[in-house]
Amino acid sequence: MNMELFARLAFGIYAVVILAGGALAVSSPSLIRAMVGLVTALFGVAGMYLLMDATLVAFMQILIYVGAVSVLIFFAIMLAHASPDGDEAAPASIWEYVRSGLVFVVPVGVVALTATVFPVDSMPLPKQIGPEALGEGLLGPYTLAFELISVVLLAAMAGAVLVAFERRKPR
Amino acid sequence: MSPLSWYQLVAALLLGIGLYGVVSRKTLIGMLIGVELMLNGAGLSMVAAAQLTPMDGVLGQLGTLFVMGLAAAEATLVLAIVLVVARRMGNARSDTVSELKG
């Protein structure tokens, strides 16, 4: 019982961290501050993975998203000559706020309504799946997906190099 | 509400926040941040559905790992595109790219 209370408390803290980080990520006028908000939200999602006993996914979240993807986006901000006083500082019209708010409200409302009208009963405790079961899955039934994702990654890296390649100007 | 519903609600909020970012941001990098938030919402929803219902848990966790790999590939390509746009047009705003001539 005590542990259940603790889990509920941890869930609440992670939810607050995710929502605060996400709000900062989409509303800050400075892109660097927005990235700090994104990293905060990513850490909150990793905490929720830990709470659901998906340990490997949680550490992969920190390793891939916080370690690699956010560093890539920081590089993009640096290379795109971001202005120090914020690229998003220009005021928006009322219509833009209405449009953005509508896009936020409609999907969240549909999912929240579905979750309350058709409640799904879930197991009281999450399943325990170790890394060895995931490895057997990768080398067993999901080998094709595993190989295809490496091909996709190779194509993406080669394409990125090709797109960003600066051809030397003839003199 | 069951624990699964709470997790799905947080995932839906992440999706909504990401969509809000994609629509309201004016720079390409701001839109990319919104896309990353949406992908995280999808991963959270998949892991919650796999871990808290009697379905195959390995499938859900591996699916989330594949989503992370795809997100890494997508971020690399967007970095290259932002680099090219910033080099040719001086900044990486979405309205400068949408002009046909100028």
Side-chain angles (χ1 to χ4, degrees), chain A residues 18 22 36 39 48 83 91 106 122 134 138 140 167:
Chain A
I18 289 174
V36 172
V39 167
M48 284 209 168
S83 67
V106 170
S122 58
L134 291 177
L138 275 182
R167 200 174 288 119

Side-chain angles (χ1 to χ4, degrees), chain A residues 118-132:
Chain A
F118 304 104
V120 185
D121 48 339
S122 58
M123 304 199 302
L125 285 177
K127 275 174 273 189
Q128 293 204 326
I129 294 170
E132 56 277 338

Side-chain angles (χ1 to χ4, degrees), chain A residues 11 25-26 28 42 49 52 61 65 72 76 87-88 100 103-104 108 120 122-123 126-127 129 134 142 149 163-164, chain B residues 2-3 7 12 16 19-20 24-27 36 40 43-44 48 50-53 55 57 68 71 79 84 87 93:
Chain A
F11 180 86
V26 295
S28 166
L42 295 179
Y49 287 152
M52 282 186 283
Q61 166 93 1
Y65 266 116
L72 263 181
D87 287 298
E88 308 273 353
S100 313
V103 163
F104 172 75
V108 176
V120 185
S122 58
M123 304 199 302
K127 275 174 273 189
I129 294 170
L134 291 177
Y142 307 116
I149 200 116
V163 165
Chain B
S2 62
Y7 281 113
L19 273 173
Y20 176 88
S24 67
R25 285 296 197 187
K26 298 176 199 68
T27 59
E36 297 295 338
N40 261 277
L44 186 61
Q51 289 292 98
L52 297 175
T53 56
M55 74 171 268
M68 285 180 196
L79 168 65
V84 171
R87 197 189 288 147
R93 291 170 190 271

Side-chain angles (χ1 to χ4, degrees), chain B residues 9-39:
Chain B
L9 196 63
V10 173
L13 279 169
L14 265 177
L15 170 77
I17 291 173
L19 273 173
Y20 176 88
V22 170
V23 172
S24 67
R25 285 296 197 187
K26 298 176 199 68
T27 59
L28 293 180
I29 299 168
M31 293 164 81
L32 172 65
I33 291 174
V35 171
E36 297 295 338
L37 283 173
M38 280 198 276
L39 284 172

Side-chain angles (χ1 to χ4, degrees), chain A residues 55-141:
Chain A
T55 324
L56 186 78
V57 181
F59 287 118
M60 282 300 124
Q61 166 93 1
I62 293 177
L63 205 69
I64 297 179
Y65 266 116
V66 182
V69 173
S70 48
V71 171
L72 263 181
I73 302 177
F74 272 122
F75 265 108
I77 294 173
M78 185 187 78
L79 293 171
H81 315 295
S83 67
D85 53 346
D87 287 298
E88 308 273 353
S93 65
I94 290 290
W95 162 238
E96 287 184 9
Y97 281 118
V98 169
R99 197 176 53 182
S100 313
L102 210 63
V103 163
F104 172 75
V105 165
V106 170
V108 176
V110 167
V111 174
L113 215 64
T114 316
T116 46
V117 173
F118 304 104
V120 185
D121 48 339
S122 58
M123 304 199 302
L125 285 177
K127 275 174 273 189
Q128 293 204 326
I129 294 170
E132 56 277 338
L134 291 177
E136 279 170 13
L138 275 182
L139 294 179

